[in-house]
Amino acid sequence: MTTSADTHCPYCALQCAMTLTSPADLAPAAQPGPGSAPALPSAPALEVAGRDFPTNRGGLCRKGWTSPALLNHAGRITEPLLKGADGVHRPISWDRALDLAAQAVKDARARYGADAVGVFGGGGLTNEKAYMLGKFARLALGTSRIDYNGRFCMSSAAAAGMRAFGVDRGLPFPLEALDTASTILMLGSNVAETMPPFVQHLRGARDASGLVVVDPRRSATAAFTADGGGLHLQPLPGTDLTLLLGLSHVVIHENLVDTAYVQERTSGYSAVVRSVNAFWPERVQSLTGVPADLIRQTARMLAAGAREGGSYILTGRGVEQHVDGTDTATAAINLSLLLGLPGAARSGYGTLTGQGNGQGGREHGQKADQLPGYRKITDPAARAHVAAVWGVPEETIPGPGLPAVQLLKSLGKPDGVRCLFVHASNIAVAAPDANAVIEGLRSLDFLVVCDFFMSETAAEADLILPVLQWAEEDGTLTNLEGRVLRRRRAISPPAGARSELWIMARLAARLDAPSTYSEDPETVFEELRRASAGGLADYSGIDYAMLDRGEAAYWPYPAGSSGTPRLFADGFAHPDGKALMVPVVPRRRRTSANDAAASVDPAGKAMILITGRLLEHYQSGAQTRRVTELIAAQPEARVQIHPSAADAMGIAAGSPVSVANGRGEVVCRAELSTAIRPETVFLPFHFPGAESANRLTEAATDPISGMPEFKFNTVWVRPVATPDSARTLQTTEAS
């Protein structure tokens, strides 16, 4: 019997629509024995077809087309696994697994207190699981120590949005709105590789010669500006804030400000004017490397677009994953407010959410400082509302916990987390200063990892609990537009796998937790609706029935309303209804002790490391590295170096290279490309072990958002003489 389901891609926040078709439910995947090598996937589990939807219009990227390959992968974990004294994971029963997990929680709480138990979540969880994980942590575990990997992705943009607008929604307008724009400024995002179907929404601006891409590399997205399509601004890494201040300087001093908008809809203008006075274009050129005439041209294009065809400013992780990421995103918002873009009918400002449920995942309780509905955990009214929904006294809910980097730094410490639960995150590869994180994981008294493959984090676990994959479950996700979508089950899961909702319900019972914990996604969503009601991210007017009818549901969607596809048309979320312009200026970057003279490599050259994604892979690569077509296309990490820099160091294309600093070393092959600045090297962050880029990234964080410094790290680069040095890669010469 043929079955099909309309659902959405399991990867990025574009959430491309697809239809899955299966001739019959699949048999459970075979599980490899302990210590065996990763198995190749079996035949494709399902047929996938792109489905017409506003974000992707029937298109899918390589990851989307191959996504069903993992559903029947022979490496699938289908039984709970317990690590023995010999370090080998062996199958155990679910009853024993749950008893062990519950006892580990009780032991940690008894010996060290409730905050000795921690939870690390993920932006790939459905809204229902993200909501329940926050509730489970605070009530069943009794801990404040919960945060998630969205702290590595969206936290700076979110903090800037909350500060300026009073609310954080990645794109406060439907993605289709970009189609008619004459000018789009995109900073720090390579959508042509990270979410390829997005590019079709840039064509209107490109055809109008109005696409401006800011990136230290001539990425595939930057290349889209060629042949008269627009401009590529290629600043020195870490100078995006300065560049944005230069653009604002031009807008102000060339009288391009939308004066009426600024007077009526914003506050803080005078302070911003004073803050940008020192950033005239020629000075900005000397600091960023971007020519002054291009700075002026970009500002004029944005202003003309705002008056005539529509202008949009979009930011991504490249400008946000810094210790000044919140201020950089704030500078982009200030520029958009000077031009009158947010809330305008044909213009706007937005930030591009990365993970599949990166938006919904941060709205309903995974963040250390938030309760469902994007409520502040320190707000007495918010606490009272959520406590009433949960049926517990308000004082039962712990206060704010630790943001992700601080949480991970506390692992195994005397006053830190001693028992950790990890959901939908591969922190052994994805977290900054990964070597230190792995040491922390190994110092825990007990580590529980919920996963469907033996990820690098799962390999460190005392207990692995096998969970469902995307096509095996029902639920909802919220895409980069703030649109709530239905995930629909297409096939039955392996007999031994369980939903995180099921796991949390059983553990809550063993821990005698207050409140209720349903394993039914729709029941959980109904509770989420009530918990979010009246909050910034209000889902109370959304239900499964309307989503199943295909109705568009953009939050906030209070009961009785028709939702909010476009925010800010009538005002902002501050009490006075105005957007707040906050003056920001660059701060001197401190030098980490790990990057100081003690770590100097006399045989190497000091360079700036930036990290990012490849077209074929996603996040830590725990899934995409198991897809035959994707790993064949990109089987290893390669360090991208400019030919002139490589020549000066004696590095040939394809030769092994050491990239190191005081935190660690990566050894991989060189890819020579004129698409990168000469003082900079680029590493993808999808690979583990000796190729793990996050061995080198610093765990320093933005003081406001807690975002780590992923995009600006000092490294020492040198050739490595090995027998393999004769291997070569094709030199990539950008046209």
Side-chain angles (χ1 to χ4, degrees):
M1 176 181 175
T2 300
T3 59
S4 66
D6 288 342
T7 188
H8 294 265
C9 179
Y11 292 114
C12 80
L14 202 58
Q15 283 296 287
C16 295
M18 57 170 57
T19 298
L20 302 177
T21 304
S22 173
D25 283 350
L26 297 167
Q31 183 180 337
S36 62
L40 292 175
S42 61
L46 294 168
E47 292 184 0
V48 60
R51 183 161 53 89
D52 189 42
F53 191 70
T55 58
N56 65 306
R57 294 171 178 154
L60 299 172
C61 74
R62 297 185 70 178
K63 295 185 288 291
W65 286 119
T66 58
S67 57
L70 295 174
L71 296 169
N72 204 31
H73 195 286
R76 179 79 179 269
I77 299 174
T78 60
E79 299 175 272
L81 300 176
L82 180 67
K83 182 181 284 187
D86 57 0
V88 176
H89 288 95
R90 294 181 176 86
I92 61 173
S93 70
W94 266 108
D95 278 342
R96 187 180 177 212
L98 295 170
D99 288 344
L100 286 170
Q103 190 59 50
V105 171
K106 293 175 183 178
D107 290 347
R109 293 194 305 202
R111 293 182 64 188
Y112 307 108
D115 279 349
V117 183
V119 176
F120 200 96
L125 295 173
T126 62
N127 287 318
E128 292 80 2
K129 291 189 289 188
Y131 166 80
M132 189 58 73
L133 190 61
K135 177 181 178 179
F136 172 79
R138 294 181 172 99
L139 298 188
L141 302 180
T143 184
S144 69
R145 299 306 195 246
I146 176 172
D147 211 67
Y148 81 128
N149 63 12
R151 187 74 67 171
F152 302 157
C153 299
M154 290 298 302
S155 56
S156 288
M162 292 295 292
R163 184 162 69 175
F165 305 132
V167 66
D168 155 45
R169 198 178 92 186
L171 294 185
F173 48 80
L175 187 57
E176 287 182 299
L178 298 177
D179 295 346
T180 58
S182 61
T183 309
I184 296 175
L185 171 63
M186 179 172 287
L187 303 106
S189 184
N190 182 17
V191 291
E193 292 195 84
T194 60
M195 46 180 71
F198 188 108
V199 173
Q200 62 192 307
H201 300 287
L202 304 178
R203 286 179 180 150
R206 185 192 184 283
D207 291 346
S209 301
L211 179 62
V212 183
V213 175
V214 178
D215 197 316
R217 298 192 302 144
R218 190 157 67 249
S219 64
T221 307
F224 200 51
T225 65
D227 301 322
L231 303 175
H232 173 211
L233 310 185
Q234 198 169 8
L236 185 71
T239 64
D240 304 287
L241 174 53
T242 300
L243 176 61
L244 285 161
L245 295 176
L247 291 169
S248 291
H249 183 283
V250 175
V251 169
I252 291 168
H253 289 272
E254 293 193 3
N255 297 316
L256 302 176
V257 175
D258 187 333
T259 306
Y261 177 99
V262 167
Q263 290 177 346
E264 296 169 8
R265 305 203 58 188
T266 75
S267 60
Y269 172 73
S270 297
V272 167
V273 171
R274 290 192 296 272
S275 70
V276 303
N277 274 340
F279 295 92
W280 59 92
E282 284 73 19
R283 180 174 182 239
V284 171
Q285 173 181 312
S286 71
L287 297 171
T288 68
V290 177
D293 62 336
L294 294 185
I295 296 171
R296 291 189 173 93
Q297 185 178 351
T298 298
R300 293 164 186 167
M301 287 167 61
L302 286 166
R307 292 191 304 268
E308 299 162 10
S311 282
Y312 287 85
I313 297 175
L314 306 174
T315 64
R317 305 300 82 76
V319 299
E320 298 160 5
Q321 288 179 326
H322 292 282
V323 292
D324 61 358
T326 300
D327 284 351
T328 303
T330 297
I333 292 173
N334 287 343
L335 175 61
S336 73
L337 291 169
L338 290 171
L339 295 164
L341 308 185
R346 300 172 63 188
S347 297
Y349 163 84
T351 185
L352 304 181
T353 305
Q355 294 188 82
N357 198 30
Q359 182 70 62
R362 69 181 182 270
E363 295 167 0
H364 299 303
Q366 284 192 94
K367 286 184 74 173
D369 56 353
Q370 286 183 190
L371 290 172
Y374 228 134
R375 289 180 159 90
K376 292 181 180 179
I377 201 168
T378 54
D379 179 1
R383 295 173 60 85
H385 173 86
V386 173
V389 173
W390 289 350
V392 299
E394 179 271 327
E395 59 271 18
T396 305
I397 302 174
L402 299 176
V405 172
Q406 289 179 255
L407 177 64
L408 295 177
K409 284 182 177 180
S410 82
L411 298 183
K413 301 292 173 56
D415 296 324
V417 169
R418 308 300 294 258
C419 173
L420 180 68
F421 290 75
V422 178
H423 295 256
S425 188
N426 189 15
I427 50 179
V429 176
D433 199 1
N435 286 338
V437 170
I438 293 171
E439 288 180 12
L441 293 174
R442 292 174 179 172
S443 70
L444 290 166
D445 295 346
F446 204 75
L447 172 61
V448 182
V449 174
C450 292
D451 213 328
F452 33 79
F453 291 119
M454 184 64 76
S455 69
E456 288 72 23
T457 304
E460 302 293 338
D462 296 287
L463 180 64
I464 305 171
L465 302 180
V467 295
L468 306 186
Q469 290 197 64
W470 59 289
E472 300 163 351
E473 65 180 2
D474 281 295
T476 63
L477 300 99
T478 307
N479 77 349
L480 78 173
E481 310 164 295
R483 179 172 175 166
V484 183
L485 307 169
R486 273 282 275 126
R487 171 174 285 180
R488 296 179 179 87
R489 173 171 159 164
I491 57 172
S492 297
R498 298 288 186 271
S499 166
E500 283 97 337
L501 295 179
W502 184 94
I503 293 169
M504 286 184 275
R506 266 81 187 156
L507 284 175
R510 283 168 166 79
L511 295 168
D512 298 320
S515 195
T516 58
Y517 302 83
S518 176
E519 63 187 83
D520 174 61
E522 187 170 6
T523 301
V524 175
F525 189 80
E526 289 300 308
E527 184 178 310
L528 181 159
R529 291 175 62 194
R530 292 187 287 116
S532 72
L536 290 172
D538 189 334
Y539 283 32
S540 61
I542 305 171
D543 60 33
Y544 273 32
M546 64 177 291
L547 297 178
D548 287 338
R549 291 192 298 269
E551 296 181 28
Y554 297 86
W555 72 260
Y557 204 124
S561 76
S562 56
T564 317
R566 197 162 192 127
L567 286 170
F568 312 139
D570 300 318
F572 298 94
H574 291 304
D576 63 1
K578 293 185 176 183
L580 177 62
M581 300 178 71
V582 179
V584 291
V585 294
R587 290 177 278 113
R588 182 183 297 275
R589 289 182 178 272
R590 69 178 183 84
T591 300
S592 166
N594 286 339
D595 286 334
S599 66
V600 169
D601 182 347
K605 177 179 174 59
M607 301 188 79
I608 300 169
L609 169 69
I610 54 178
T611 65
R613 295 183 183 176
L614 300 174
L615 171 65
E616 290 82 4
H617 291 298
Y618 179 73
Q619 300 296 83
S620 72
Q623 296 175 75
T624 53
R625 285 187 275 111
R626 288 175 165 84
V627 177
T628 302
E629 298 93 328
L630 302 180
I631 195 65
Q634 292 286 359
E636 62 185 356
R638 288 173 288 181
V639 58
Q640 190 177 80
I641 311 175
H642 194 279
S644 65
D647 183 63
M649 290 183 280
I651 294 172
S655 65
V657 176
S658 167
V659 185
N661 59 21
R663 289 177 289 279
E665 181 182 22
V666 169
V667 177
C668 58
R669 294 195 292 158
E671 175 183 318
L672 307 190
S673 174
T674 57
I676 194 165
R677 291 180 59 103
E679 70 285 304
T680 304
V681 292
F682 170 85
L683 275 172
F685 52 61
H686 312 294
F687 298 90
E691 297 180 343
S692 175
N694 282 320
R695 288 183 169 202
L696 307 171
T697 54
E698 188 178 4
T701 57
D702 182 295
I704 301 171
S705 68
M707 170 75 83
E709 176 68 89
F710 283 116
K711 294 294 193 269
F712 188 98
N713 289 272
T714 301
V715 292
W716 294 86
V717 181
R718 60 179 171 83
V720 176
T722 74
D724 292 331
S725 61
R727 294 186 300 170
T728 59
L729 294 173
Q730 181 178 358
T731 300
T732 302
E733 292 293 342
S735 58

